[in-house]
Amino acid sequence: MPFIKTLQRRCTTALAAIILVYSLTSNIAPAATTTQIQQDTDVFDDAVSRFESGDYVGALIQLKNVLQQDPKNLPARILIGRTYLRIGDAEAADKELRWARSLGADEELIILPMTSALLMNRMFDKMLSNRIGSKWSPSVQAELLTLHGQAYTALHKFSQAEQSFERALTLIPQNMNALSGFARLYLAQGQFENALEAIQQALAQTPNDAGNLYIKGEIRRRSDELEKAKVSYNAALAANPLHVRSLYGRASVSIALGKYDSALADIDKVNEIRPPHMYSEFIRARILLHLNKNLEHKVALKNAYTLMRGYDRKGLSRNLQLLYLAGLISYALNNHQDAYNYLSEYVAKKPFNSNAQTVLASILIAQNKVKEAIEQLTTARAVAPDNPHILRLLGMAYVKIGDFRRAATTFENAITKTAKASSLHSLLAMSKIGR
């Protein structure tokens, strides 16, 4: 791989310089210095070998050993950043790569992993500010365009995303990451057949790419083909057992299928791979609730809240995913005012998330702001017209303002959408009595 070869060349040059400096200025015997440097080189080479074979945990251990001896070892600093990316720890990756930049790393060598880390952290504006160097190689330019396309997709700026992917394919025809970018773009627009066709083209080049197998799993999951989604997630994890997103995806499928023990095992595996995150702890809390492990549920929820409080308020506002999650955690802990603050800000920035709008409406109803709740639920219903929970909540809101005719119609609609309709029948009867 070109990146590794570049690192090795730089490592050799750096080692030669260190030997020269030590031989001129140090009282340590040159032979001893050379021995120590050779040991560090051997450890680094072992880390490179582990990275290339997919043993990212082993690579991390070895790279930490190298950096403990020499914190300014540039090749090791860059490689540890890329290794953190491979296991899904974007925050650690960003920290290491920024350190590498401060040590004088070539921008062309670190721009892609740094931009990937910003993308994973959903810091889209910051990553889109990374301009493409005209003297960079076509492959680096194409990959950066692909990452920009993914950011535009997440921002629902679909025309800009399409332009970025097309420019990437112009630079490098059949670019695998641009093809997978198109798959993500189609998925975001609900074009599942086009998304599947694009990801199949990408997988035709690299059948065992964990990232693309994960995307295929997401397409299947969003298409409600849960068993097929699970097959794709399993394949991704066979290719890379530490692929955190595939573990989350498989856990989501298990939750949907009511297999909570399997879901919990996957989330626990995520927490083994990287330090617990507010997202993993929140999902873990929800799973434990389904398993009737109430004490463990409360502990996990408090852990999620503690991790959430580790972010400053501006940091949460910059990351919409974290902002949404902060609202859900606060709501689960009955901190309704905090939940309202987080979710109202989130919905103002992303007005078509029906789940966020439904939780926000629940808070508004509890605060007796029923008309505002109806506004949120009406928008949520437009996005997800068949969601029985939205219909149930909307019917209850109509009851509260005395609009029993609309309440009855809404409850009748909800009953046709769910098999668990006993409570809805009771609400329907009450709305008809009120009418």
Side-chain angles (χ1 to χ4, degrees):
M1 122 179 358
F3 165 73
I4 296 298
K5 290 178 180 177
T6 303
L7 283 182
Q8 289 172 325
R9 285 197 300 270
R10 288 191 170 198
C11 183
T12 302
T13 304
L15 288 171
I18 292 171
I19 292 171
L20 177 62
V21 170
Y22 272 146
S23 63
L24 292 173
T25 63
S26 177
N27 292 325
I28 302 174
T33 304
T34 304
T35 300
Q36 179 61 52
I37 292 171
Q38 185 59 50
Q39 289 175 352
D40 290 346
T41 306
D42 291 342
V43 175
F44 179 77
D45 288 344
D46 183 57
V48 170
S49 178
R50 290 175 183 274
F51 180 90
E52 290 179 323
S53 66
D55 178 12
Y56 302 121
V57 172
L60 277 177
I61 292 171
Q62 295 294 64
L63 290 166
K64 287 178 180 178
N65 287 335
V66 172
L67 291 168
Q68 187 175 20
Q69 294 296 322
D70 179 12
K72 294 184 179 181
N73 187 310
L74 185 55
R77 189 65 66 186
I78 295 173
L79 187 56
I80 198 171
R82 291 178 64 97
T83 306
Y84 276 125
L85 266 186
R86 291 295 180 93
I87 65 171
D89 193 343
E91 292 177 18
D94 182 58
K95 176 184 174 183
E96 297 295 344
L97 292 164
R98 282 190 286 107
W99 194 340
R101 174 184 273 172
S102 73
L103 293 172
D106 184 346
E107 191 71 9
E108 186 176 359
L109 197 60
I110 62 170
I111 189 63
L112 293 178
M114 286 190 75
T115 305
S116 296
L118 292 171
L119 178 66
M120 289 176 69
N121 281 327
R122 304 183 70 83
M123 300 177 71
F124 303 126
D125 291 337
K126 187 174 181 180
M127 67 163 287
L128 288 169
S129 68
N130 287 334
R131 300 301 176 189
I132 300 172
S134 59
K135 295 183 180 180
W136 294 348
S137 69
S139 61
V140 170
Q141 292 185 49
E143 293 303 327
L144 192 56
L145 281 165
T146 297
L147 292 170
H148 284 186
Q150 291 182 39
Y152 284 128
T153 299
L155 293 168
H156 286 208
K157 296 182 178 180
F158 297 136
S159 60
Q160 291 99 316
E162 186 174 356
Q163 290 170 18
S164 293
F165 296 137
E166 286 177 347
R167 287 176 63 196
L169 287 171
T170 299
L171 284 166
I172 306 290
Q174 291 301 306
N175 181 291
M176 180 194 72
N177 290 328
L179 290 170
S180 65
F182 267 115
R184 292 175 185 269
L185 174 61
Y186 292 135
L187 179 60
Q189 297 175 90
Q191 300 178 25
F192 300 127
E193 290 184 10
N194 289 340
L196 191 59
E197 182 181 349
I199 204 62
Q200 294 285 42
Q201 289 182 46
L203 284 168
Q205 298 181 44
T206 53
N208 296 319
D209 183 86
N212 287 335
L213 287 165
Y214 160 76
I215 295 171
K216 186 176 180 180
E218 287 294 282
I219 295 167
R220 296 297 196 188
R221 184 176 67 83
R222 292 275 301 278
S223 304
D224 289 327
E225 299 177 282
L226 298 182
E227 291 296 343
K228 288 183 178 180
K230 189 174 180 180
V231 170
S232 294
Y233 294 134
N234 286 343
L237 289 164
N240 178 5
L242 304 181
H243 197 264
V244 169
R245 290 187 175 186
S246 292
L247 288 167
Y248 277 131
R250 191 168 68 179
S252 295
V253 168
S254 296
I255 291 170
L257 294 172
K259 298 178 180 179
Y260 299 113
D261 286 318
S262 297
L264 184 62
D266 279 336
I267 297 302
D268 285 342
K269 179 66 176 177
V270 169
N271 284 342
E272 288 177 15
I273 293 170
R274 66 183 191 186
H277 186 271
M278 57 190 281
Y279 180 68
S280 62
E281 285 300 293
F282 179 66
I283 297 298
R284 190 169 181 274
R286 299 301 299 271
I287 295 169
L288 290 166
L289 187 62
H290 282 292
L291 291 170
N292 294 317
K293 297 183 178 181
N294 295 327
L295 183 59
E296 293 178 61
H297 158 74
K298 290 178 181 178
V299 171
L301 199 54
K302 287 181 179 178
N303 288 342
Y305 181 75
T306 300
L307 290 165
M308 181 193 87
R309 299 295 292 179
Y311 291 88
D312 61 48
R313 188 63 178 82
K314 289 182 179 179
L316 292 175
S317 293
R318 285 193 300 267
N319 188 320
L320 288 183
Q321 189 176 39
L322 294 183
L323 186 65
Y324 176 41
L325 187 55
L328 296 181
I329 292 169
S330 299
Y331 181 73
L333 288 168
N334 292 319
N335 296 338
H336 284 184
Q337 189 56 52
D338 285 349
Y340 172 81
N341 292 337
Y342 292 130
L343 291 173
S344 59
E345 181 182 349
Y346 175 85
V347 168
K349 294 177 178 178
K350 195 168 185 179
F352 301 110
N353 184 321
S354 59
N355 292 326
Q357 289 166 324
T358 304
V359 177
L360 182 57
S362 298
I363 297 168
L364 290 167
I365 290 172
Q367 295 175 341
N368 208 30
K369 299 176 181 178
V370 183
K371 290 184 178 180
E372 291 181 45
I374 290 173
E375 289 178 11
Q376 292 293 336
L377 291 167
T378 301
T379 305
R381 185 182 184 182
V383 176
D386 297 332
N387 187 310
H389 182 58
I390 294 172
L391 294 170
R392 178 180 181 276
L393 203 57
L394 184 57
M396 292 172 64
Y398 284 137
V399 168
K400 279 185 171 289
I401 64 171
D403 192 340
F404 298 109
R405 182 183 60 80
R406 284 189 179 179
T409 301
T410 306
F411 287 137
E412 285 171 351
N413 202 349
I415 287 170
T416 65
K417 309 297 183 185
T418 181
K420 298 178 180 180
S422 58
S423 62
L424 288 169
H425 279 296
S426 299
L427 289 168
L428 174 61
M430 290 172 63
S431 68
K432 288 184 175 180
I433 290 170
R435 188 170 57 185

